[in-house]
Amino acid sequence: MPENKHKDYQVEVERLEYTKDYINKVLDATAEYKSEYKADIREAMKELDFLDSSQSYIRVLINSKFIDQANENYENLLKVKDKPYFARVDFKSAGKQNPEQLYIGKTSLYEIEAEQPLIIDWRAPIASIYYEGRIGEVSYQTETGVEKGEMLLKRQFTIEDGELKDIFDIDITTNDAFLQASLDVNADNRLKDIASTIQGEQNRVIRAKIDQPLIVQGVAGSGKTTIALHRIAYLIYTYEDSFDPDNFMIITPNKLFIDYISDVLPELGVENVRQSTFIDFMEELIGEKHELIDPDQKITKLIASDDLTDQEKELIAWSAAFKGSLEFKEMIDSYLVDLGKRYLPRMDFRLDNHILFSYWELNEIFLEQLKHLPFEKRKAQLKKSLSNRLRWRKEKILKEIEDNYNGKINAICSSMEESEDRRFILIKLMDERDTKLEEVEKKSKTLVKDYFQAFKKISLFDHYTKLLNKITLLKYATVEISKEKLEYLSKYSQELLKKKEVELEDYAPLAYLKHKIWGFDQDIKVNNVVMDEAQDYSLFQFYVLKEILNTNMFTILGDIAQGIHAYRGTNDWNKVMEDVFAKEEISYRTLEQSYRTTIEVMDFANQVIKNINAPNLVLAKPVIRRGQKPQLRNYNQVSNLTKDLTSKIAKLKEEYQSIALICKTTKECQQLKESLAKLGNLKVKLIDNKDDSYAGGVVIVPSYLAKGLEFDVVVIVNLAESYTENELDLKLLYVAMTRSLHRLYIYQQTGAISVLDKIDNDFYETLN
């Protein structure tokens, strides 16, 4: 509603001005307090008596803590001073006469003089009634139970540069105009300011229990990425006494994705959360460096029209799937069982002729008592046992040797009369005794070291190479594998390893082997993991992360419909729940509402994706935001297509800030870029998997790299490649279509996308 028409406009302007003034006073006071605290610290440091420093030291600690708190509050208020809140709810608690007016923002502010909150943090328990409640009876969960009451008003504000622009009053019958307005903005403004538009189903995911794994199946455009980030902010706020942001890790599909979310967490008041791609984290853990081949090499082979036969593509996909399976993990476990049995040198630990530990005794300690440790860390514990046993037995052994010789000497003395012969024998025995004692003493100094030098030294990659030998694979296979598949897996993997190369699918088994054989030197302090685009991870990858990080606190978000790496990823969340988190209670939620694109684009995309064979497929439900119908343009000549495309982009740039030209393959992207370059001065960037930032403008993107990104306008371009009706092609097309915020165009060589012939013309407009 236009601000000057709202009956409470003047009241809300005055409330906004009062809040802004109060924030400025708090900021000024905080700056002054910080200065005083620093002066007090300097004074305390001067007075610090290192012999009796208790009072001065306490002053230093207290004032340092005050400064830390003041800095945090200061930074938070500085961020929101021109937009202190975005909503108001009037809430009357059960049993109370008067309602409270609660203004909700990105941080909290308490007015000390009036003893009431000026701003409620969006993460506070009571704020959930704004996200999920409607006018009338409402309730919300607190630490002590459920609070009930009545919501009398739900109001949303648009505030820009400290000025009140719009007021929206929401009730059960109105559409959420505030949400629609926020969705109409361009792509580069969308991720930052989202706390104000979190929807009910999203809010329930954000506030889900912390003490159990959470799996979220969210359709394209359901806000999975933003929900993941807001969940971190919520958990840190709610559990600030027991949680450190350093203990969180966001695992992203690529570096471009990290850049995409880089500004969001600081906006939410969260710093120091660890962000890493799966590849970078695995390389950090594995340590030993082999060259990683292009992770997208497989998908480019699988989607290329005529580079490989169907049988070759089937072997490529099977190999990737098998390396990511828990069956492969079970093979590794069997290999490790046998490795453990022969890990120790087959010898007793002895000093002279004295057995300190028999081989069988050591083996029992190694395999049973120390089985909770990696093999190499068992050796460290074993070393302590050997050293202690040697220390305890050495003196007894030396005394026993000495007593033995002394007995012989005494016997000679008793049995022989004094003579030159007796003297010769006694000297010889004494020399033997002393030499023996010296030898045993000397041997004892290196005995433990000598024992451990008998261990075989085999590198991680030597183990992995041996594991992928055809004979070893056959020996440890827990499932039936055809001879053709087994030979392909072995030959292909051995060729890679011989060149000191690995593929993405090797990282989970390599990390698992290292975890079981060596363990990790560094203390990995991560106890809460957030994984986006999780449908692209295999069961083995999930398992390895859970095992190595030793936590079950995962927030896993993905969309099976966007599983373009399904050949090596996850096709069924039930498998993740049953096989990876088998013993834990798991929270599973679905997000069906799509907020990214228009009804017209989403309905069109749904017509494509419903052609895949997926019984439990969840179709996206778009929010009420209308736009133009997607446009299909058919061409018989590439030159005409690129000429028209250039003209269209020039017009679109006048209105939109981000435009993506999505081709099926990298090869086709390069072809398009060259064709456009010949036509004029259009500035276009080709994105590949090495890019770690995106600054807007016109980009060309391969279909398999578009996932997770969004653009004001998407143009799907087919110059030479085609989208068939196999599952992978349909998912790639669906992903490309759902990157669009506002407009979708398809520029194709006639007939390149065959599935469009099955879709009713009501869903799109055709221009030939």
Side-chain angles (χ1 to χ4, degrees):
M1 178 180 292
E3 69 277 11
N4 55 4
K5 297 287 180 69
H6 197 285
K7 62 183 179 65
D8 291 337
Y9 173 70
Q10 195 55 42
V11 172
E12 295 295 1
V13 167
E14 290 174 5
R15 176 40 156 90
L16 176 60
E17 291 303 315
Y18 181 83
T19 304
K20 285 161 52 185
D21 287 344
Y22 195 85
I23 288 174
N24 287 325
K25 288 177 182 175
V26 171
L27 289 172
D28 291 342
T30 302
E32 185 178 336
Y33 292 157
K34 283 163 63 179
S35 178
E36 288 180 8
Y37 289 143
K38 285 179 181 176
D40 200 16
I41 287 175
R42 283 195 296 270
E43 191 65 29
M45 291 299 289
K46 289 179 185 175
E47 297 173 5
L48 203 59
D49 180 350
F50 290 96
L51 296 177
D52 183 18
S53 58
S54 56
Q55 290 304 313
S56 294
Y57 185 59
I58 289 169
R59 281 173 61 197
V60 170
L61 286 180
I62 289 173
N63 287 297
S64 296
K65 185 177 180 182
F66 280 149
I67 285 180
D68 288 342
Q69 291 175 343
N71 276 332
E72 184 178 347
N73 295 336
Y74 185 87
E75 292 300 325
N76 289 339
L77 288 175
L78 204 58
K79 289 174 186 174
V80 304
K81 67 184 183 66
D82 292 327
K83 189 177 180 179
Y85 47 77
F86 50 77
R88 166 186 161 185
V89 293
D90 290 1
F91 175 69
K92 187 171 73 170
S93 296
K96 292 189 177 179
Q97 293 294 319
N98 299 318
E100 298 175 272
Q101 292 182 359
L102 305 173
Y103 286 79
I104 300 169
K106 291 184 182 178
T107 191
S108 60
L109 179 62
Y110 192 79
E111 186 179 10
I112 298 172
E113 299 84 350
E115 296 185 346
Q116 65 179 10
L118 265 183
I119 308 171
I120 300 288
D121 194 295
W122 70 271
R123 297 166 289 186
I126 196 171
S128 66
I129 66 172
Y130 162 70
Y131 295 114
E132 297 195 50
R134 291 289 187 179
I135 301 300
E137 291 185 2
V138 292
S139 63
Y140 64 94
Q141 185 73 41
T142 70
E143 289 183 3
T144 56
V146 177
E147 291 289 330
K148 296 182 179 180
E150 182 182 4
M151 184 158 62
L152 306 173
L153 176 71
K154 182 176 178 180
R155 178 170 289 173
Q156 298 166 326
F157 306 105
T158 299
I159 300 171
E160 295 176 5
D161 299 325
E163 291 187 25
L164 182 61
K165 296 293 185 183
D166 277 308
I167 300 175
F168 300 89
D169 283 347
I170 307 300
D171 61 38
I172 198 165
T173 62
T174 60
N175 293 324
D176 195 342
F178 188 69
L179 173 61
Q180 292 186 53
S182 72
L183 295 175
D184 283 333
V185 301
N186 292 329
D188 62 342
N189 293 321
R190 287 168 54 83
L191 264 181
K192 290 187 181 180
D193 198 5
I194 47 184
S196 60
T197 57
I198 293 168
Q199 299 301 292
E201 64 174 3
Q202 296 174 322
N203 186 59
R204 288 188 286 278
V205 171
I206 290 168
R207 296 171 189 260
K209 287 182 179 180
I210 191 174
D211 57 354
Q212 60 185 206
L214 171 65
I215 296 178
V216 181
Q217 161 57 40
V219 300
S222 56
K224 294 183 291 295
T225 301
T226 57
I227 288 169
L229 304 180
H230 280 66
R231 176 162 170 77
I232 292 172
Y234 167 76
L235 293 176
I236 290 172
Y237 171 87
T238 306
Y239 303 97
E240 62 178 339
D241 292 339
S242 57
F243 258 81
D244 188 333
D246 289 338
N247 294 336
F248 276 87
M249 175 185 278
I250 304 173
I251 297 180
T252 68
N254 50 52
K255 291 180 180 178
L256 190 65
F257 208 78
I258 291 177
D259 174 71
Y260 202 56
I261 64 174
S262 60
D263 295 334
V264 181
L265 287 172
E267 286 285 329
L268 294 172
V270 176
E271 307 284 351
N272 303 325
V273 170
R274 184 173 179 176
Q275 301 171 48
S276 177
T277 65
F278 179 80
I279 289 171
D280 287 345
F281 185 48
M282 288 295 106
E283 288 180 347
E284 179 187 335
L285 292 177
I286 294 167
E288 295 180 47
K289 190 69 175 173
H290 273 46
E291 190 69 27
L292 177 68
I293 64 172
D294 184 353
D296 294 319
Q297 185 184 97
K298 271 195 177 69
I299 194 169
T300 57
K301 288 181 178 180
L302 293 174
I303 66 178
S305 301
D306 51 13
D307 289 358
L308 298 169
T309 66
D310 288 345
Q311 186 181 19
E312 287 171 326
K313 288 181 179 181
E314 184 184 339
L315 286 171
I316 289 172
W318 174 83
S319 171
F322 185 73
K323 283 185 177 179
S325 70
L326 293 183
E327 286 76 21
F328 190 40
K329 174 212 161 272
E330 288 171 6
M331 280 185 62
I332 295 173
D333 286 337
S334 297
Y335 173 82
L336 289 167
V337 168
D338 278 359
L339 178 65
K341 290 175 181 177
R342 60 178 187 272
Y343 210 79
L344 297 186
R346 202 170 185 85
M347 54 189 269
D348 298 326
F349 180 65
R350 61 172 67 222
L351 183 61
D352 194 33
N353 292 319
H354 297 266
I355 296 175
L356 306 185
F357 277 108
S358 72
Y359 164 75
W360 300 108
E361 189 180 0
L362 288 171
N363 213 34
E364 195 276 335
I365 294 170
F366 187 82
L367 294 177
E368 296 300 326
Q369 297 179 29
L370 299 174
K371 64 183 178 182
H372 60 287
L373 294 173
F375 292 160
E376 288 297 306
K377 292 192 175 180
R378 295 183 203 183
K379 283 169 60 179
Q381 294 300 313
L382 208 57
K383 186 176 182 179
K384 291 180 183 177
S385 297
L386 266 57
S387 298
N388 289 336
R389 179 72 61 90
L390 175 62
R391 192 180 306 113
W392 174 59
R393 291 287 305 278
K394 186 182 79 169
E395 295 305 322
K396 291 184 179 178
I397 290 170
L398 290 172
K399 188 173 188 306
E400 189 176 322
I401 292 169
E402 188 172 16
D403 289 348
N404 181 44
Y405 274 98
N406 288 343
K408 291 178 181 179
I409 290 168
N410 290 333
I412 295 296
C413 289
S414 302
S415 63
M416 290 181 67
E417 292 184 3
E418 189 171 335
S419 65
E420 192 63 31
D421 286 345
R422 188 181 87 158
R423 184 171 174 276
F424 175 78
I425 293 170
L426 288 175
I427 291 172
K428 184 181 177 185
L429 283 172
M430 288 177 185
D431 287 344
E432 282 181 11
R433 178 195 63 191
D434 294 343
T435 300
K436 185 71 171 178
L437 289 171
E438 189 177 324
E439 285 176 355
V440 171
E441 180 69 42
K442 184 178 180 181
K443 182 66 176 174
S444 72
K445 296 184 185 303
T446 62
L447 190 66
V448 174
K449 181 183 176 183
D450 293 342
Y451 177 81
F452 282 99
Q453 282 182 340
F455 278 79
K456 293 179 181 177
K457 292 180 174 59
I458 304 176
S459 74
L460 172 62
F461 281 93
D462 286 340
H463 278 297
Y464 194 54
T465 302
K466 184 177 181 181
L467 180 65
L468 287 166
N469 178 282
K470 186 168 66 174
I471 296 172
T472 313
L473 286 171
L474 192 61
K475 178 181 178 181
Y476 295 114
T478 57
V479 292
E480 189 173 338
I481 304 172
S482 72
K483 182 180 178 182
E484 180 188 29
K485 287 178 177 177
L486 190 140
E487 286 180 347
Y488 173 82
L489 175 62
S490 179
K491 182 181 177 184
Y492 170 69
S493 299
Q494 296 284 347
E495 286 174 354
L496 278 182
L497 292 166
K498 192 173 182 180
K499 294 185 289 185
K500 293 193 175 295
E501 291 179 342
V502 289
E503 57 185 349
L504 174 60
E505 293 82 4
D506 291 317
Y507 275 170
L510 280 166
Y512 186 66
L513 273 171
K514 182 166 184 181
H515 173 60
K516 290 295 186 179
I517 297 174
W518 287 272
F520 302 103
D521 294 333
Q522 68 270 39
D523 187 12
I524 308 170
K525 294 182 179 178
V526 173
N527 52 27
N528 205 301
V529 183
V530 176
M531 300 178 70
D532 203 359
E533 300 292 344
Q535 73 281 345
D536 292 336
Y537 293 89
S538 69
L539 293 180
F540 200 176
Q541 288 171 334
F542 284 124
Y543 186 92
V544 160
L545 289 169
K546 179 176 180 287
E547 177 87 1
I548 289 172
L549 297 175
N550 192 29
T551 181
N552 72 338
M553 289 192 281
F554 279 73
T555 299
I556 294 170
L557 307 100
D559 180 16
I560 298 299
Q562 296 183 71
I564 62 174
H565 298 287
Y567 57 91
R568 61 167 166 82
T570 296
N571 294 299
D572 186 353
W573 295 123
N574 288 318
K575 297 291 288 180
V576 179
M577 291 188 277
E578 292 167 7
D579 297 342
V580 179
F581 298 101
K583 296 178 182 178
E584 292 95 353
E585 288 187 19
I586 299 171
S587 178
Y588 176 78
R589 298 176 184 268
T590 59
L591 298 173
E592 299 182 12
Q593 201 77 39
S594 178
Y595 305 96
R596 176 184 293 133
T597 193
T598 62
I599 291 175
E600 290 75 14
V601 170
M602 199 69 248
D603 285 346
F604 187 32
N606 280 341
Q607 294 302 307
V608 169
I609 199 62
K610 71 181 186 180
N611 285 279
I612 70 171
N613 182 23
N616 299 318
L617 180 67
V618 178
L619 293 179
K621 299 174 182 176
V623 295
I624 303 174
R625 184 166 70 93
R626 290 286 178 184
Q628 289 188 0
K629 277 187 179 182
Q631 285 188 7
L632 169 64
R633 294 175 179 250
N634 292 304
Y635 294 87
N636 294 320
Q637 293 184 359
V638 170
S639 58
N640 290 338
L641 186 157
T642 52
K643 183 179 177 182
D644 284 0
L645 180 59
T646 303
S647 300
K648 187 65 178 178
I649 293 169
K651 292 178 182 177
L652 290 169
K653 285 176 68 177
E654 295 174 4
E655 187 176 354
Y656 297 105
Q657 297 175 12
S658 65
I659 301 168
L661 311 178
I662 301 180
C663 300
K664 188 179 181 185
T665 64
T666 300
K667 183 178 178 181
E668 193 174 36
C669 285
Q670 291 166 340
Q671 182 185 347
L672 177 60
K673 186 176 182 182
E674 289 168 7
S675 298
L676 294 176
K678 293 174 183 177
L679 292 174
N681 298 320
L682 181 64
K683 187 177 180 182
V684 181
K685 176 180 172 58
L686 174 57
I687 288 182
D688 61 29
N689 59 8
K690 296 182 179 67
D691 284 298
D692 56 9
S693 65
Y694 166 59
V698 183
V699 295
I700 302 176
V701 193
S703 56
Y704 51 86
L705 287 183
K707 189 162 52 62
L709 304 178
E710 58 186 31
F711 308 90
D712 295 330
V713 179
V714 166
V715 186
I716 296 171
V717 182
N718 293 101
L719 301 181
E721 297 286 354
S722 60
Y723 289 92
T724 68
E725 293 179 47
N726 69 40
E727 183 173 314
L728 178 54
D729 278 13
L730 290 174
K731 285 182 175 181
L732 287 167
L733 182 58
Y734 176 76
V735 165
M737 297 168 85
T738 55
R739 301 309 94 200
S740 160
L741 295 175
H742 305 295
R743 301 279 186 88
L744 174 64
Y745 301 90
I746 299 176
Y747 281 56
Q748 69 160 356
Q749 292 280 76
T750 303
I753 307 177
S754 59
V755 72
L756 298 182
D757 296 334
K758 295 183 176 181
I759 298 174
D760 195 297
N761 289 337
D762 289 343
F763 288 98
Y764 62 97
E765 180 183 358
T766 304
L767 300 172
N768 292 316

